[in-house]
Amino acid sequence: MKIKSAVWSLAKFVVLAAIIVSSVSWYHSRNMPKGQAPELLAPDINGLPVSLQKMTQQGPVLIYFWATWCGYCRVVSPAVSDLASEHQVITIALQSGTPEEVATYQQQHSLKFRTINDPSGALSNSWGLQVTPSIAIVDTEGKVSAVTSGMTSKWGLKARLWLADR
């Protein structure tokens, strides 16, 4: 009987934790765009143009807002980097220094994704960003199909990309 009670208590805890985490994520991403994605046309840290609208013609795009100073980003960034080898990924480095400093950070942490530098936060602000990390998935029609903030996993992101491609 004690085992059954312990399992029930654990199940209640897991459900409550999931509700709390989902609520916090929703609250932090509530100002991010819904429907048609805002225009995103900017040079990356190497000076090459990035066009979200052109990229969506090839499939869904994951947009990752992060910062070199963000603790949670140190956990999420490697997952996003892994996804960038098989999916379209644009990242925006928020208030993280010069393009050279961002590039050095990425190299030191083996992060292999295209990055737009946002030293003033203007681009991130135009997307309603409130916290880092935050992620938006834009589907092939240019619509935001999912937004999330805070901790997430590679598999959670893969699932969102898969759903955006349906």
Side-chain angles (χ1 to χ4, degrees):
M1 201 60 163
K2 284 186 177 188
I3 292 174
K4 196 175 193 179
S5 176
V7 168
W8 180 244
S9 293
L10 179 62
K12 289 192 292 187
F13 173 78
V14 168
V15 168
L16 182 61
I19 290 169
I20 291 169
V21 167
S22 296
S23 297
V24 169
S25 178
W26 171 83
Y27 181 77
H28 285 146
S29 60
R30 72 190 181 284
N31 293 330
M32 290 186 73
K34 285 114 180 117
Q36 198 65 34
E39 177 78 19
L40 179 54
L41 181 60
D44 66 16
I45 58 175
N46 297 312
L48 301 172
V50 176
S51 169
L52 173 62
Q53 284 64 29
K54 285 185 182 177
M55 291 176 73
T56 58
Q57 295 170 4
Q58 306 301 314
V61 179
L62 183 147
I63 304 170
Y64 174 52
F65 295 88
W66 65 285
T68 57
W69 44 264
C70 166
Y72 288 123
C73 298
R74 290 188 181 105
V75 176
V76 176
S77 292
V80 173
S81 184
D82 286 348
L83 286 173
S85 66
E86 53 192 71
H87 296 280
Q88 296 188 98
V89 172
I90 301 171
T91 75
I92 292 101
L94 173 63
Q95 299 173 336
S96 295
T98 66
E100 295 77 20
E101 290 169 324
V102 173
T104 299
Y105 179 89
Q106 284 187 231
Q107 186 177 17
Q108 290 172 342
H109 293 88
S110 301
L111 300 175
K112 296 175 172 53
F113 43 58
R114 271 185 100 178
T115 301
I116 297 169
N117 195 25
D118 188 15
S120 69
L123 177 59
S124 300
N125 190 46
S126 74
W127 276 72
L129 188 76
Q130 301 226 332
V131 298
T132 57
S134 287
I135 295 169
I137 307 286
V138 180
D139 67 19
T140 55
E141 296 176 2
K143 294 182 179 163
V144 177
S145 66
V147 294
T148 189
S149 63
M151 296 293 288
T152 190
S153 69
K154 177 181 175 181
W155 295 106
L157 295 174
K158 271 181 106 68
R160 289 179 184 99
L161 284 162
W162 181 79
L163 288 170
D165 204 17
R166 300 290 158 235

